[in-house]
Amino acid sequence: MRFWYARLAGTMGNQMLMVAVGWQMYDLTGSAWDLGLVGLFQFLPALLLTLVAGHVADQVDRSKVLATCMAVQVVIAATLAAATWHTVATRELLFVLSVALGCAKAFQMPAQQALVPLLVPQSMLARALAFSSAGMQAAIIGGPAIGGFVYAAGATVVYVVCGVLFLLAVWLFLRIGHPHVPRAKEPVSLATLLAGVKFIWQRPVVLGAISLDLFAVLLGGATALLPIYAKDILHTGPWGLGVLRAAPAVGALLMSVALTRWPITRRVGRVMFAAVAVFGVATIVFALSRSFVLSFVALWVTGAADMISVVIRQSLVQLETPDEMRGRVSAVNSVFIGASNQLGEFESGATAALLGPVGSVLLGGIGTLVVVAVWMKIFPPLAQRQNLSGSD
């Protein structure tokens, strides 16, 4: 449960941080391009550090890696609070700290993913992932909503609260005990660094699952443009932005609770493809909506559909990976996740600069449906997969 509480605190802090940074950046520049760059500058470190982060997660106590990543985010939150308080926060500073945040997440995600299978029996992994996701989604709901309301008191207050939550996560991660005993230290070489890439490439089901998530969410994500939708299209304030950012997590939370009680055990491949298709349709609805309520519902559906895909994908990856490889495989998987989120934010900002926010999100939703159709053709073993374990 310490792991669960630590993720809850860390995720809530991170979500509040991103709401504040997004709104502050848009206040400073009024630029969709700059909102996209915030996502890009978080993703690039994850891409560049992937192989090293995976190797570290397989060689070092994973709970200590997570505690260190949280400590870095404490420093980032404190820097933002001080800069905002002294009115010296600039576009460039927000970009620099986005890079620092990306570096912390590069090491955090593989260690976090690889730690879960060590804390529960393998037969309970799918339920444990759903339960863990329920806590994370609760934090994603509370973080943006609270962050949006607290922002009314000033960005400084938000950053201080974030720092406190990150400190709590540091303490909890350091108190986690787990049975992982790293093998004899492997010398860093190209072969050891690329082992995760090779492992995934040789397993079409795993490759298809994580690449489906990459391209579908890369095209379909609209998170980076929510400040524009909240302010210019739906005509709300920071509170509205917080509620919209929380909407996908509301759907994801309810779905994760349902999956904890009723895990998906049959036709997992087709269920995952159907969920991603629903994600695309809901994105299209959001793009065309001018109603705050309808926009909230559409984002709610994207979160519920994405949660189904996440649980199936993560279960497939973890069940088919031996523990001594989980850090490196999870590192590669985290790049796919990061690309679908941070790089997706850059894609949204770039296309919005050319097509406008509505055109950008509409194109992304249509693109997601195209990806589903193409992936069902080129990864038939994934579409035909019956059970998570692979035994039909």
Side-chain angles (χ1 to χ4, degrees):
M1 288 302 294
R2 288 171 183 162
F3 174 79
W4 192 82
Y5 287 128
R7 285 198 71 190
L8 189 72
T11 303
M12 181 172 290
N14 184 261
Q15 290 298 310
M16 292 177 66
L17 188 74
M18 293 316 300
V19 167
V21 168
W23 194 268
Q24 190 171 21
M25 177 64 81
Y26 196 55
D27 266 348
L28 287 171
T29 70
S31 169
W33 174 258
D34 285 342
L35 288 176
L37 286 177
V38 169
L40 178 64
F41 288 152
Q42 286 186 60
F43 170 71
L44 287 179
L47 178 63
L48 296 175
L49 296 172
T50 297
L51 302 180
V52 175
H55 186 79
V56 169
D58 282 334
Q59 295 294 309
V60 180
D61 186 316
R62 291 166 185 165
S63 59
K64 292 181 180 177
V65 173
L66 291 170
T68 301
C69 293
M70 287 294 110
V72 171
Q73 293 180 64
V74 171
V75 175
I76 292 170
T79 302
L80 283 167
T84 304
W85 177 259
H86 294 289
T87 65
V88 294
T90 63
R91 170 179 181 268
E92 290 72 23
L93 177 64
L94 294 180
F95 286 150
V96 169
L97 294 178
S98 294
V99 172
L101 185 61
C103 291
K105 287 184 175 181
F107 287 89
Q108 176 186 338
M109 293 187 69
Q112 188 167 273
Q113 291 178 30
L115 182 58
V116 176
L118 298 177
L119 303 177
V120 297
Q122 191 175 85
S123 60
M124 292 291 293
L125 182 60
R127 289 175 184 260
L129 288 172
F131 178 70
S132 178
S133 295
M136 183 178 69
Q137 296 305 325
I140 293 174
I141 294 169
I146 295 171
F149 283 108
V150 173
Y151 195 95
T156 302
V157 179
V158 180
Y159 296 137
V160 169
V161 173
C162 291
V164 172
L165 289 169
F166 292 142
L167 276 174
L168 176 60
V170 170
W171 180 71
L172 289 169
F173 276 131
L174 288 175
R175 290 172 55 82
I176 292 175
H178 61 86
H180 174 60
V181 179
R183 292 186 172 186
K185 296 292 184 180
E186 297 180 71
V188 179
S189 67
L190 188 61
T192 59
L193 292 177
L194 292 175
V197 177
K198 181 180 178 181
F199 184 92
I200 293 173
W201 185 258
Q202 293 175 341
R203 288 158 178 79
V205 169
V206 177
L207 176 62
I210 63 177
S211 60
L212 172 67
D213 179 79
L214 165 67
F215 288 103
V217 182
L218 170 65
L219 294 172
T223 303
L225 302 181
L226 289 183
I228 299 176
Y229 266 85
K231 190 171 185 178
D232 299 336
I233 296 176
L234 300 175
H235 306 295
T236 69
W239 70 269
L241 173 61
V243 171
L244 289 175
R245 281 191 68 103
V250 174
L253 173 62
L254 295 178
M255 182 57 69
S256 62
V257 171
L259 293 176
T260 301
R261 178 64 179 85
W262 300 288
I264 299 168
T265 58
R266 302 295 300 172
R267 299 169 63 88
V268 295
R270 292 193 177 277
V271 169
M272 184 170 69
F273 278 111
V276 177
V278 170
F279 178 91
V281 172
T283 300
I284 292 173
V285 172
F286 174 77
L288 300 175
S289 172
R290 296 297 178 271
S291 162
F292 184 83
V293 173
L294 179 58
S295 297
F296 177 89
V297 171
L299 291 173
W300 182 95
V301 173
T302 65
D306 187 52
M307 178 51 58
I308 296 174
S309 173
V310 165
V311 170
I312 293 176
R313 171 172 48 80
Q314 290 190 356
S315 297
L316 284 172
V317 171
Q318 300 295 348
L319 287 172
E320 299 204 359
T321 306
D323 182 62
E324 64 271 16
M325 285 288 299
R326 282 195 178 116
R328 281 165 285 184
V329 170
S330 295
V332 177
N333 189 28
S334 71
V335 170
F336 282 78
I337 296 171
S340 65
N341 293 313
Q342 276 78 47
L343 192 57
E345 291 182 9
F346 173 71
E347 179 272 336
S348 296
T351 55
L354 296 173
L355 305 175
V358 175
S360 173
V361 178
L362 181 61
L363 180 63
I366 295 171
T368 298
L369 297 179
V370 172
V371 167
V372 170
V374 172
W375 255 240
M376 291 186 73
K377 293 292 185 182
I378 64 178
F379 290 103
L382 177 60
Q384 297 163 10
R385 183 75 174 233
Q386 292 297 313
N387 299 322
L388 291 171
S389 64
S391 57
D392 298 335

